[in-house]
Amino acid sequence: MPAESTYPPVDIPNVDLWTFLFERKERTYPDDKELFVDADTNRSYTYAQVKAAAMDFGKGLKAIWEWRKGDVLALYTPNCVDTPAIMWGCAWAGGILSPANPAYTAEELAFQLKDSGARALVTQKPFLSIAKEAAKMVGMDEEYVILMGDERDPSARHKHFTSIRNISGAVRYRKTKVNADKDLAFLVYSSGTTGRPKGVMLSHTNVISNILQGKVIEGPHLKPTGGPDGKGDKILAFLPFFHIYGLTCLVHQAADAGVTLVVMPKFDLEKFLNVIQTFKISFVYLVPPVVLALAKHPIVSKYNLSTIRMLNSGAAPLTQELVNGVNERLGLKIKQGYGLSETSPTTHAQSWDDWNKTIGSVGRLLPNMTAKYMDAEEKEVPTGEAGELWVKGPNIFKGYLNNVEGTKNALTDDGYFRTGDVGYQDKDGNFYITDRIKELIKYKGFQVPPAELEGLLVSNPAVADAAVIGVYDKEQATELPRAYVVLAPGQTKGDAKAKEIMDWMSTKVAGHKRLRGGVKFVDEIPKSASGKILRRVLKEQAKAEMELKAKL
């Protein structure tokens, strides 16, 4: 029998995100509560300010571009304190937000712009040249590329979003009505093993459901008042807002709970530690490589992290050794959660009380959800036996954009999402993830599709064939992309050739997709009779090599 959540169900209102956040009666904090603050500049938004800025931006979209329901606004930027206002302004106007990785090349960004059908693109000044190049590739007029953040365009060719907010005559516009369950709020892109990222369609109801599901775990512990400085809990946000993990668990949760989100544009260890100490951070979402740094890096000892009451790790499995290492060194508690872009994202989480009782578990199933583990014949396996995790609930996505076949393969007729992850459930309702059916590489929480890298590699004249896998690096607590390469005739194997290929690849892809696991030369790539690359054979080979190396 499928497992039902052991938490009482939560009521999911049939409203859109704007109504849920800004028109509800049960808000427990005042209008002047500071919700978002920039860790570098201290520039901030209160609840009232972000609501006003978002509404003005939404009116501006309608006034200058005749924004309509379903229009897509792309966001190409690191984390920014302006993101919430732009995101909710787009929602007010009935639009769909499609955030893109700021590490993308122009070609990678252009694919997302074209696939999503984006009407406009918001970026920051340091990213403007790539944004313009990508816009040109897809035929987007330059006037639809606008700026956010602290810097303006000196040429004044690209409007800042604040000027779009201040359009005269925009006051006559009204909020667009949407169907919360059917109309999309977000179009986030998730890398797949087949190469190109897939547009994950998330409705207003999907995201609201996950906010309320997660609130059952985190809500009782996050307070808008009190704490070390009397200003309530503070969550540190360095995890990217271009991923639904950052958007739901960080941005939306802060607004729902009335706690302050301290925004870092990107991760830097010393800055991270300094922000925790300076702002008296109480809760941090992080990934295993950061947990590793907390356990081992000498610089950590210079900072006071005692205000932290809980850490939550996601995006990749967390080992018992890392949990124990941080707890023994710093006295900090770390719990774990699990989710995917397609699930808005969280499906499982450890509670604050259980963090040290089930180390290695991703926790229990969130409210309003059902799950089961299935074997290769798609038959449910008994409790304790390993299988592929299938999940069902109000937070499950609507399908992949422009990808009927992908949607059909991911969603069953009765509404289950096949996660592609392997694990098991114990008798107490704790879930464990042990492996992936999908061959997606996870580098520090970022998704790296092997087929995309393979496609690039074989376009290099020196390469006859190639396969890419993830190899686990214990020192960094993450997988690293490694290429296995068959050289073209006349090419010479060796370290110089490997470096040449790695350096060439670095010019073609975003930083997280670089071949940090190296290049290995082989005589042939193992393939099935149908020609499919047998990456598992290469993984087993790599594992055997590492075990042998460890013994020497």
Side-chain angles (χ1 to χ4, degrees), residues 481-498:
R482 173 186 289 176
Y484 286 81
V485 168
V486 178
L487 286 172
Q491 299 293 324
T492 305
K493 296 178 184 177
D495 292 344
K497 180 59 69 175

Side-chain angles (χ1 to χ4, degrees), residues 248-268:
T248 301
C249 299
L250 296 172
V251 179
H252 284 93
Q253 180 171 252
D256 181 60
V259 298
T260 302
L261 196 70
V262 181
V263 180
M264 287 176 63
K266 63 179 181 178
F267 181 77
D268 172 84

Side-chain angles (χ1 to χ4, degrees), residues 477-531:
T478 189
E479 287 183 311
L480 304 176
R482 173 186 289 176
Y484 286 81
V485 168
V486 178
L487 286 172
Q491 299 293 324
T492 305
K493 296 178 184 177
D495 292 344
K497 180 59 69 175
K499 184 177 186 302
E500 179 188 310
I501 292 171
M502 289 168 66
D503 290 346
W504 175 85
M505 181 64 96
S506 295
T507 68
K508 301 287 184 182
V509 295
H512 64 281
K513 298 178 187 175
R514 291 176 184 168
L515 297 173
R516 288 179 169 82
V519 170
K520 295 273 188 180
F521 296 113
V522 292
D523 294 330
E524 65 176 342
I525 301 298
K527 295 181 180 177
S528 69
S530 62

Side-chain angles (χ1 to χ4, degrees), residues 34-46 49 53 79-83 85-86 124 148-152 160-162 165 260-263 279:
E34 187 179 68
L35 291 184
F36 307 105
V37 58
D38 186 299
D40 293 323
T41 65
N42 275 318
R43 186 161 67 87
S44 64
Y45 284 89
T46 64
Q49 287 168 340
N79 288 1
C80 179
V81 74
D82 294 329
T83 297
I86 290 169
Q124 292 197 54
M148 64 192 294
D150 296 317
E151 295 184 79
R152 304 295 197 269
H160 194 267
F161 93 100
T162 49
R165 285 167 45 195
T260 302
L261 196 70
V262 181
V263 180
F279 285 88

Side-chain angles (χ1 to χ4, degrees), residues 41-323:
T41 65
N42 275 318
R43 186 161 67 87
S44 64
Y45 284 89
T46 64
Y47 172 84
Q49 287 168 340
V50 78
K51 179 181 180 180
M55 189 180 292
D56 288 346
F57 180 62
K59 289 177 179 178
L61 287 176
K62 290 191 172 196
I64 65 165
W65 290 331
E66 297 182 351
W67 205 258
R68 304 200 190 297
K69 186 170 83 168
D71 283 349
V72 175
L73 180 67
L75 204 58
Y76 177 62
T77 169
N79 288 1
C80 179
V81 74
D82 294 329
T83 297
I86 290 169
M87 172 174 67
W88 292 324
C90 178
W92 184 93
I96 303 165
L97 193 84
S98 186
N101 187 337
Y104 273 174
T105 62
E107 291 80 6
E108 289 169 324
L109 176 59
F111 169 79
Q112 184 166 331
L113 294 178
K114 184 177 180 180
D115 191 66
S116 67
R119 272 198 71 194
L121 173 62
V122 188
T123 189
Q124 292 197 54
K125 186 172 174 290
F127 301 83
L128 184 57
S129 61
I130 292 178
K132 286 165 63 176
E133 187 181 346
K136 187 177 181 181
M137 287 179 182
V138 299
M140 181 187 288
D141 194 283
E142 273 198 13
E143 73 165 291
Y144 289 94
V145 179
I146 64 172
L147 294 177
M148 64 192 294
D150 296 317
E151 295 184 79
R152 304 295 197 269
D153 175 19
S155 72
R157 292 183 67 181
H158 297 277
K159 292 185 176 73
H160 194 267
F161 93 100
T162 49
S163 63
I164 289 177
R165 285 167 45 195
N166 298 322
I167 299 294
S168 60
V171 290
R172 64 188 177 88
Y173 291 99
R174 297 289 176 263
K175 182 172 87 71
T176 299
K177 291 181 180 179
V178 299
N179 182 319
D181 186 48
K182 291 183 179 177
D183 291 329
L184 304 185
F186 296 102
L187 189 56
V188 297
Y189 276 73
S190 175
S191 294
T193 53
T194 53
R196 290 294 195 180
K198 300 192 290 286
V200 177
M201 299 188 290
L202 298 172
S203 71
H204 290 254
T205 297
N206 287 154
V207 178
I208 291 169
S209 298
N210 210 234
I211 296 167
L212 294 171
Q213 289 168 315
K215 191 173 186 175
V216 171
I217 305 292
E218 318 300 356
H221 305 277
L222 298 176
K223 307 295 182 187
T225 58
D229 58 5
K231 295 182 178 179
D233 281 306
K234 297 183 182 69
I235 302 177
L236 179 54
F238 70 87
L239 293 178
F241 294 167
F242 65 78
H243 193 280
I244 197 64
Y245 185 14
L247 289 178
T248 301
C249 299
L250 296 172
V251 179
H252 284 93
Q253 180 171 252
D256 181 60
V259 298
T260 302
L261 196 70
V262 181
V263 180
M264 287 176 63
K266 63 179 181 178
F267 181 77
D268 172 84
L269 181 59
E270 189 155 14
K271 179 71 178 176
F272 167 83
L273 297 167
N274 186 54
V275 169
I276 292 172
Q277 179 176 281
T278 303
F279 285 88
K280 297 180 169 53
I281 299 293
S282 47
F283 190 34
V284 185
Y285 287 94
L286 34 64
V287 289
V290 179
V291 180
L292 178 67
L294 290 174
K296 296 189 174 182
H297 202 290
I299 201 174
V300 175
S301 303
K302 297 181 181 179
Y303 292 88
N304 178 1
L305 310 181
S306 62
T307 56
I308 294 176
R309 293 190 288 113
M310 183 60 74
L311 302 168
N312 187 90
S313 182
L318 189 64
T319 64
Q320 183 162 347
E321 290 78 12
L322 283 182
V323 174

